[in-house]
Amino acid sequence: MQNLLEVKNLKKYFPVKSGFLRRVRHHLKAVDGVSFVIQKAKTLGLVGESGCGKTSLGRTILRLMEATAGEILFEGINIVHLSRKHMNKKRRDMQIIFQDPYGSLNPRMTICEIIREPLDTHNIGSKEEKSKRILDLLDVVHLRRNVLNRYPHEFSGGQRQRIGIARALALHPKFIVADEPVSALDVSVQSQVLNLISELQKKFGISFLFISHDLAVVQHISHDVAVMYLGKIVEKTSTENLYKNPKHPYTQSLLLAIPVADPKQKPQRIILEGDAPSSWAPPPGCPFHPRCPEAKEICREVIPELKNVGTAENEHWVSCHLY
């Protein structure tokens, strides 16, 4: 299957300034050499703890933040160095669903104005065509057509997120970054939004980068999963492989932390000692070694490479000295 997006050795560093002259003393390595591909009409789930760089990665791919280094190939074109004019054309194909359905919608705009805004920005369609497109989008996200003149504060969190999804779909995108789109919603509403995203993928063939800290949610919606820790990908494989046979100790601890519904089944846990290190002062060697129960001497000195421990047909990439 053809790749829609290919990320190669992507880095995003933020300068940390201090002192009277505000000189750059350190760099916070939010994204540190990340590589992956997303195929057409497929979803890559990106999981990890808060602060590991998931959102920074998503926004850097869309060039809402400029990359420090690396390549972002969208349909074979490296968009990292595209001019503003050419990048604006590409933005029609690349959209985002934000995490917060309350803060991502302008409270001064009606629902009609919010959904129409991308069409106005890119000057697409006549007035009648825009009106028809807006009504069609409301049907797609299962909202009634009589909501057009209402304001965001009149809706629940799940309804607001549907409005945000309608706005993201307005330009017929090929790729959407879904940045924790259900984390702020009630559990009963989460499943509705997840099912809507799956439905849209089947109907329109959209590729998704689905960012989440909830492994149960990622399992439901993703074809492949990448696990991120301190700005690096530590494991990457198909969803089936990851949940059946996790390789990295960090992935194993995350999976064992998922609550079990059976009260008779005694939960197993891998207790990680301490907190995650800071991204601006990562430990030497493997970034996970201070918390890893399997850490060896080499882990404290040498950064492990991300290597395929599976087969050519069934790839399973892991960054760990145990393999």
Side-chain angles (χ1 to χ4, degrees), residues 188-259:
S188 60
V189 180
Q190 286 185 7
S191 61
Q192 297 173 16
V193 175
L194 291 174
N195 290 335
L196 173 62
I197 291 175
S198 297
E199 177 188 325
L200 295 174
Q201 184 170 63
K202 293 175 182 177
K203 189 173 183 178
F204 300 113
I206 302 171
S207 300
F208 284 89
L209 175 64
F210 190 92
I211 299 171
S212 179
H213 62 272
D214 190 332
L215 279 157
V217 168
V218 169
Q219 183 181 18
H220 176 75
I221 200 163
S222 302
H223 298 92
D224 300 297
V225 180
V227 181
M228 198 168 182
Y229 187 82
L230 277 190
K232 296 180 179 291
I233 299 293
V234 296
E235 189 164 0
K236 179 179 58 176
T237 185
S238 68
T239 303
E240 183 181 4
N241 278 349
L242 189 89
Y243 286 83
K244 283 187 176 180
N245 186 24
K247 299 287 189 183
H248 199 281
Y250 177 59
T251 309
Q252 294 169 2
S253 68
L254 291 179
L255 289 174
L256 288 175
I258 298 176

Side-chain angles (χ1 to χ4, degrees), residues 111 176 254 264 266 322:
I111 304 310
I176 293 178
L254 291 179
K264 296 180 181 179
K266 187 177 180 180
L322 294 176

Side-chain angles (χ1 to χ4, degrees), residues 104-132:
S104 61
L105 303 180
N106 190 331
R108 297 176 180 271
M109 297 173 69
T110 65
I111 304 310
C112 179
E113 292 170 336
I114 288 171
I115 300 176
R116 193 181 63 216
E117 186 177 21
L119 300 172
D120 291 338
T121 301
H122 291 272
N123 194 26
I124 296 175
S126 63
K127 185 177 180 180
E128 293 75 18
E129 290 171 335
K130 290 178 183 177
S131 298
K132 183 180 183 304

Side-chain angles (χ1 to χ4, degrees), residues 25-85:
R25 304 294 183 182
H26 305 281
H27 281 90
L28 190 153
K29 299 180 179 181
V31 180
D32 193 15
V34 168
S35 301
F36 60 81
V37 298
I38 300 179
Q39 297 176 335
K40 289 185 176 180
K42 297 293 183 181
T43 297
L44 174 68
L46 183 66
V47 299
E49 294 173 293
S50 296
C52 71
K54 304 187 300 295
T55 295
S56 295
L57 175 58
R59 297 190 175 211
T60 303
I61 290 172
L62 296 178
R63 279 193 63 185
L64 298 178
M65 301 189 300
E66 295 298 334
T68 303
E71 298 180 28
I72 306 167
L73 302 177
F74 186 80
E75 296 185 313
I77 299 173
N78 187 2
I79 67 171
V80 170
H81 302 298
L82 286 183
S83 65
R84 178 175 294 184
K85 178 181 177 181

Side-chain angles (χ1 to χ4, degrees), residues 276-289:
S278 170
S279 297
W280 69 268
C286 174
F288 186 61
H289 87 258

